[in-house]
Amino acid sequence: MPSKSLLVEQIVRLLDIRLLDPLEVLLEGDDAVEALRRLVRIRAARWADQMRDGDDATAVGAAVRLIATLYPDDRAFDPPVQWWRTPLGAVVARRVGHPAAESVSYATAGAMLGITRQGVHDLVRRGRLPRHPDGGVPSSAIRDRLRGQPE
């Protein structure tokens, strides 16, 4: 699992880019935005704690709220494969699995697990990961495998 400080920095950076920078432009540099930046940093630490150490409901709730805020779209959340290797992606994979998909491709499963697509194929072939009836790997199986790994 990623360190808390790396996770907090990613959350702060994403919220700054997606929410606070545009707000600063709209408000023409109002001091209120700086106060919001300080508040976001404090809350990001709390969200990181919730996702890393909270009970399942708390972790899932924090992750889903962040994803919905940071990646709003009319379609289901479908980040690029590289996203799963970021601190936020790693903690979401471990605590939630894929929040919008029951199954994921071998490439996505590999990114979530930190291994290659071929590595996922080998795990499925050896019965270490189940194959989803519709193809790919169940998101919950990836989450469960990550939870079984030492931190």
Side-chain angles (χ1 to χ4, degrees), residues 7 11 47-54 59 62-63 66 88 91 95:
L7 180 57
I11 294 167
W47 298 323
D49 285 338
Q50 290 172 341
M51 288 187 293
R52 287 172 46 89
D53 304 318
L66 271 172
L88 182 57
V91 77
R95 296 307 307 269

Side-chain angles (χ1 to χ4, degrees), residues 2-13 41 44-45 48-49 52 87:
S3 74
K4 179 182 173 181
S5 63
L6 289 175
L7 180 57
V8 168
E9 288 308 313
Q10 183 184 5
I11 294 167
V12 167
R13 186 175 60 254
R41 181 162 293 282
D49 285 338
R52 287 172 46 89

Side-chain angles (χ1 to χ4, degrees), residues 16-84:
D16 201 49
I17 292 167
R18 296 194 195 309
L19 299 175
L20 299 176
D21 284 349
L23 189 58
E24 186 171 40
V25 170
L26 286 172
L27 297 178
E28 299 175 345
D30 193 292
D31 291 340
V33 178
E34 198 52 46
L36 287 172
R37 281 193 168 94
R38 288 190 297 275
L39 180 59
V40 161
R41 181 162 293 282
I42 292 166
R43 294 289 173 89
R46 184 180 308 158
W47 298 323
D49 285 338
Q50 290 172 341
M51 288 187 293
R52 287 172 46 89
D53 304 318
D55 61 49
D56 286 345
T58 301
V60 169
V64 168
R65 279 193 321 276
L66 271 172
I67 288 169
T69 300
L70 291 168
Y71 307 100
D73 201 335
D74 291 339
R75 296 172 301 217
F77 178 66
D78 188 23
V81 170
Q82 308 89 301
W83 183 84
W84 295 103

Side-chain angles (χ1 to χ4, degrees), residues 127-145:
R128 304 276 189 207
L129 269 179
R131 179 166 168 67
H132 192 275
D134 296 332
V137 177
S139 174
S140 59
I142 296 164
R143 180 200 62 220
D144 294 346
R145 184 171 183 84

